[in-house]
Amino acid sequence: MMDSMSRKVTASQLSRDAFVYVRQSTMRQVAENQESTRRQYALRERATALGWTPEQIAVVDCDLGLSGAETDREGFKTLVAEVGMGRVGIVLGLEVSRLARNSTDWHRLLEICALTETLILDEDGLYNPTDYNDRLLLGLKGTMSEAELHMLRARLRGGLLAKARRGELRIGLPVGLVYDPLDRVVLHPDAQVRDTLHLFFRTFFRTGAACATVKYFSENNLPFPAPAKSNMTAQVVWGRLSLSRAVHILHNPRYAGAFVYGRRNSRKQPDGHYRTTRLPRDQWQVLLLDAHPRYITWEDYERIQEQLHSSALAYGLERRHGPPREGPALLQGLVLCGRCGARMSPRYHRRGGQLVPDYLCFARTLRYRDKPCQTIPGGGVDAAMGRLLVQTMTPMTLDLTLAVQAELEARLEQTDRLRGQQVERAEHEVDHARLRYMEVDPTNRLVAASLEADWNEKLRALQEIRDRVERERAADRSTFDETAKERIRALAENFPAVWNDPTVPHRERKRIMALLVTDVTLTKEDGQITIGVRFRGGTTTTLCIPVPLNAWRKRQTHPKALARLEELLAAHTDGQAASKLNEEGFTTGAGAPFDVAAVRWLQHRWGIKSYRDHLRAAGYLSATEMAAKLGIGMTQACQWRRSGRLLATPYNERGYHLFHPIEQQPPSIQARVSGLEAGSAD
């Protein structure tokens, strides 16, 4: 056989090095299965027998303890690089699985060996990759090696799944749950750990948000437990509660008493790394409810997941509904833009010492850096929606709601039958345990004691199930009894007072709104805001409100006051016009009484003609003009006005006058002007 192998070796191959590849899959195999390691190192003797000198033989053993399916093997990379550069004449391995456990690495090595005419030797023989038969055999060996690895993994995973389906697989537990000496999951023996987790869940149910829960623990300096070293022990360390830990706890179904296995899926990426993704609940491999003691019920866990999902929708470009916050924006997370259909976000500004919301559409801004699609004042919209909600929450509306609840009662009857089946199953287990105890030999006390203990355990379980069923039935009856219905009707009658109570937090109003309304579409055009409301039952309605005036528009003087001022200034001074306006009950835009300054500002702002302008338009003359016509100085003209020789009218409160036209002056003045005009004509 050695002669047939020697015939495949050429002088060209003997002039190159021989590489012996040594690998064990795990470090445990390296420590315990040393015979395999010795056999791999002994391949150097095979290389010597084929004609290679000891100096030409290189041993690559830096991959000891690494699986053949790993792509990040430095020794294998070195081997492939040396073969590719034509420095290797033969590659020696104990078997194909030592070189690679995946077809990609194996066939890449075969391609390179064929290109460089490098031989491959394993325990069964010597192969030339350039020969079709040898290469076919090597390809089959690589495929079988990969299939063998798959079968090994399938067996191991099958055992894990079998134990997981029984709920007996010992896996890591979150803080607050530990294993007892019998490998049963129990609540943490430390009372402080248990009380902290109970407080954590109560706080989340009260606030409705993970951030608010973390904020509560931080503001009150409350420590939170974390696993000390491993999540398989009861040791904990105390520190601050972080948001990531809070969200991890809220997503973990073990706190609801459920055993879960296979919630994540890991896939190998082209770069050799693994990507882990969460699977939806219907794809979980194992889900066993009521598998161990719990901190919350499964219904509470599902409610938490819905709340977290709603909170997550508040982020991203869609800006969907998020958890109610402290701000006064009543429609937070419910508003849609009537133009582009995107979610609108609330923004606040202060007015009169209070926060006032506006609803802005930022979809185009986030995508294209354009201006916001719409900016709608939120005060009027919130007030209109509040009035609509008060009108909707009437006893008649709640009577319809109670009719729907009647159908829910029928569904609860089906649930009650399922509870009865649970009791029957528990009773059957009790009867079976009793029969086994009655049939045992009384002299075999050890077996009898064990069966008696099992019987007692089944009896306790039966009593617990009966008590739980009775509690749930009582809770269902209390939910739909007549007293509860009357309380709901009374709440409807008192709802307006509750809604308008200033002590009610904004968050509670938002929660009520979110329970009844699916979304609200806002459109602003032609001086009005159109509000399209879609209720949860599918009913729709439309409201229209005027666009609120801006601050400067609210301070504008009323048009009637402006028209009356224009009338008064035709015959009155500024001060007289202001007095007349005040007497008639007019005020400025700011609500103050009129004065001379306000009248003059309105004249400037709206271009209203003053009393002087009206007089000048009627032909009244200034002092300079009158003095020129009479051929006297301005001082003398003013003296004649004061003495009554000239007629003049004051046009303001500072004593300034305009002289009447010449035809309205006394005859002496008219004669003087006529004489002066005749003399100048001559």
Side-chain angles (χ1 to χ4, degrees):
M1 180 177 180
M2 185 61 66
D3 292 338
S4 62
M5 290 184 181
S6 300
R7 286 194 294 269
K8 292 185 178 182
V9 180
T10 64
S12 174
Q13 293 160 346
L14 289 174
S15 64
R16 292 176 277 174
D17 293 337
F19 270 58
V20 178
Y21 185 72
V22 179
R23 185 188 63 79
Q24 290 283 77
S25 298
T26 62
M27 294 305 297
R28 182 175 179 179
Q29 291 182 359
V30 174
E32 298 180 358
N33 193 5
Q34 298 181 5
E35 182 61 30
S36 176
T37 306
R38 283 194 293 267
R39 291 172 59 198
Q40 295 183 64
Y41 279 111
L43 291 174
R44 290 176 294 187
E45 300 175 1
R46 300 279 297 275
T48 303
L50 290 173
W52 275 270
T53 63
E55 293 77 13
Q56 291 179 293
I57 301 174
V59 178
V60 181
D61 56 1
C62 57
D63 290 341
L64 283 171
L66 296 179
S67 171
E70 295 289 337
T71 58
D72 192 18
R73 289 181 290 153
E74 293 299 330
F76 185 78
K77 291 179 180 179
T78 302
L79 174 63
V80 173
E82 293 293 327
V83 172
M85 288 185 288
R87 299 174 182 173
V88 181
I90 186 171
V91 177
L92 299 96
L94 190 62
E95 57 185 26
V96 171
S97 63
R98 300 301 94 195
L99 290 169
R101 280 281 197 180
N102 60 80
S103 297
T104 302
D105 290 347
W106 177 242
H107 287 285
R108 184 183 297 114
L109 179 60
L110 289 183
E111 289 287 345
I112 297 174
C113 288
L115 292 174
T116 59
E117 296 184 357
T118 302
L119 302 177
I120 296 178
L121 182 141
D122 65 6
E123 194 175 27
D124 296 327
L126 180 65
Y127 308 95
N128 186 354
T130 60
D131 183 75
Y132 174 76
N133 292 327
D134 287 356
R135 184 165 178 172
L136 176 62
L137 183 57
L138 288 172
L140 291 174
K141 283 192 171 186
T143 302
M144 294 176 63
S145 176
E146 187 176 33
E148 181 185 14
L149 179 63
H150 171 75
M151 296 180 64
L152 290 174
R153 288 177 174 173
R155 294 192 191 103
L156 294 174
R157 185 165 182 78
L160 291 176
L161 285 176
K163 295 191 69 174
R165 292 190 179 100
R166 299 193 302 270
E168 299 175 358
L169 183 62
R170 185 182 173 95
I171 56 179
L173 296 174
V175 64
L177 297 172
V178 296
Y179 288 103
D180 66 1
L182 299 179
D183 280 347
R184 295 177 301 187
V185 179
V186 296
L187 300 183
H188 202 284
D190 191 335
Q192 184 180 3
V193 175
R194 298 195 304 270
D195 294 343
T196 301
L197 285 169
H198 283 305
L199 176 61
F200 172 83
F201 286 108
R202 288 199 303 268
T203 305
F204 178 81
F205 290 138
R206 176 174 56 83
T207 60
C211 290
T213 305
V214 175
K215 183 178 180 181
Y216 174 81
F217 273 77
S218 178
E219 289 178 348
N220 293 275
N221 295 321
L222 298 176
F224 200 84
K229 296 181 180 180
S230 170
N231 52 5
M232 305 291 286
T233 65
Q235 297 180 359
V236 298
V237 293
W238 296 87
R240 295 185 62 183
L241 175 63
S242 63
L243 179 60
S244 59
R245 179 170 292 276
V247 173
H248 177 75
I249 292 174
L250 293 171
H251 278 301
N252 199 321
R254 298 303 296 262
Y255 290 102
F259 178 87
V260 179
Y261 184 78
R263 287 194 300 159
R264 297 175 179 84
N265 183 28
S266 296
R267 288 188 176 275
K268 195 172 185 180
Q269 303 299 306
D271 58 359
H273 295 84
Y274 285 86
R275 180 183 178 185
T276 302
T277 57
R278 288 180 175 271
L279 299 176
R281 186 182 303 175
D282 56 355
Q283 297 182 18
W284 292 356
Q285 295 182 353
V286 178
L287 174 59
L288 302 177
L289 301 182
D290 298 328
H292 54 75
R294 63 196 180 188
Y295 286 91
I296 56 175
T297 64
W298 183 252
E299 290 75 15
D300 290 337
Y301 173 76
E302 291 183 328
R303 182 156 58 95
I304 290 173
Q305 304 314 301
E306 293 178 0
Q307 183 64 43
L308 292 177
H309 179 68
S310 176
S311 301
L313 293 178
Y315 300 92
L317 292 178
E318 294 299 327
R319 306 287 297 172
R320 298 185 180 179
H321 187 268
R325 305 298 296 269
E326 295 79 4
L330 183 62
L331 303 179
Q332 173 219 329
L334 299 175
V335 186
L336 298 175
C337 177
R339 294 182 180 176
C340 66
R343 294 278 170 177
M344 302 182 73
S345 303
R347 293 293 184 272
Y348 296 101
H349 60 275
R350 288 198 172 273
R351 180 177 297 171
Q354 295 182 347
L355 284 178
V356 180
D358 290 336
Y359 295 107
L360 280 73
C361 177
F362 278 119
R364 294 181 180 177
T365 304
L366 294 174
R367 287 189 175 98
Y368 312 115
R369 297 302 182 263
D370 291 342
K371 293 182 179 180
C373 185
Q374 285 193 114
T375 301
I376 297 180
V381 175
D382 287 354
M385 288 299 300
R387 292 191 295 269
L388 176 64
L389 192 64
V390 170
Q391 296 171 3
T392 305
M393 292 292 292
T394 59
M396 182 179 298
T397 304
L398 290 178
D399 284 338
L400 296 177
T401 304
L402 294 175
V404 176
Q405 291 178 349
E407 182 178 351
L408 296 178
E409 290 179 354
R411 298 181 182 179
L412 288 177
E413 291 180 359
Q414 297 178 355
T415 305
D416 191 60
R417 286 196 295 270
L418 294 177
R419 294 171 184 155
Q421 293 175 359
Q422 293 179 4
V423 174
E424 292 178 1
R425 186 177 295 105
E427 291 175 346
H428 173 73
E429 293 179 355
V430 169
D431 293 339
H432 185 63
R434 181 180 61 83
L435 290 176
R436 286 192 299 169
Y437 173 73
M438 298 297 295
E439 292 175 357
V440 71
D441 186 359
T443 59
N444 193 348
R445 296 184 178 181
L446 293 178
V447 176
S450 176
L451 293 176
E452 184 179 11
D454 181 63
W455 184 18
N456 292 332
E457 182 65 26
K458 298 297 183 182
L459 287 172
R460 283 192 295 269
L462 173 61
Q463 188 60 40
E464 290 177 358
I465 293 176
R466 285 175 174 172
D467 294 342
R468 177 171 58 82
V469 169
E470 288 300 324
R471 287 196 303 270
E472 292 174 351
R473 287 175 177 171
D476 293 342
R477 287 193 295 268
S478 64
T479 303
F480 296 101
D481 61 4
E482 290 299 327
T483 304
K485 295 177 182 179
E486 291 299 328
R487 287 200 302 268
I488 295 175
R489 292 191 180 96
L491 174 62
E493 297 175 357
N494 298 329
F495 182 76
V498 175
W499 180 265
N500 297 318
D501 188 353
T503 61
V504 176
H506 296 299
R507 177 179 293 175
E508 300 304 325
R509 290 192 181 92
K510 294 180 184 180
R511 288 178 175 174
I512 296 175
M513 182 66 69
L515 288 174
L516 299 177
V517 176
T518 301
D519 52 51
V520 177
T521 304
L522 300 182
T523 307
K524 182 176 69 173
E525 56 185 0
D526 299 333
Q528 72 174 8
I529 300 174
T530 303
I531 308 172
V533 185
R534 185 158 61 102
F535 292 95
R536 294 228 172 250
T539 306
T540 60
T541 186
T542 302
L543 305 175
C544 291
I545 61 173
V547 176
L549 298 177
N550 297 333
W552 66 273
R553 292 185 180 276
K554 291 182 178 180
R555 296 177 64 88
Q556 280 187 345
T557 305
H558 198 276
K560 291 184 177 180
L562 292 175
R564 181 56 179 156
L565 175 62
E566 190 171 3
E567 295 176 0
L568 291 173
L569 288 177
H572 299 82
T573 63
D574 295 344
Q576 293 170 348
S579 299
K580 289 285 186 180
L581 290 173
N582 292 333
E583 291 174 2
E584 295 175 9
F586 290 102
T587 60
T588 65
F594 281 95
D595 56 12
V596 174
V599 171
R600 289 179 178 173
W601 163 251
L602 292 177
Q603 293 175 18
H604 169 74
R605 173 66 180 82
W606 298 105
I608 300 175
K609 297 173 67 173
S610 65
Y611 183 40
R612 182 181 185 280
D613 295 334
H614 283 283
L615 293 177
R616 291 289 290 175
Y620 280 65
L621 304 175
S622 65
T624 303
E625 294 171 343
M626 181 59 73
K629 284 184 175 294
L630 295 176
I632 60 177
M634 289 182 56
T635 303
Q636 190 175 1
C638 291
Q639 291 176 352
W640 286 10
R641 176 184 60 78
R642 286 191 291 269
S643 63
R645 291 186 65 182
L646 287 174
L647 300 180
T649 298
Y651 63 83
N652 60 25
E653 281 67 37
R654 291 182 291 178
Y656 292 176
H657 292 70
L658 287 177
F659 292 89
H660 290 204
I662 298 300
E663 58 270 15
Q664 297 180 12
Q665 294 291 340
S668 60
I669 298 299
Q670 295 181 19
R672 181 182 176 88
V673 172
S674 299
L676 290 174
E677 291 178 349
S680 63
D682 294 339

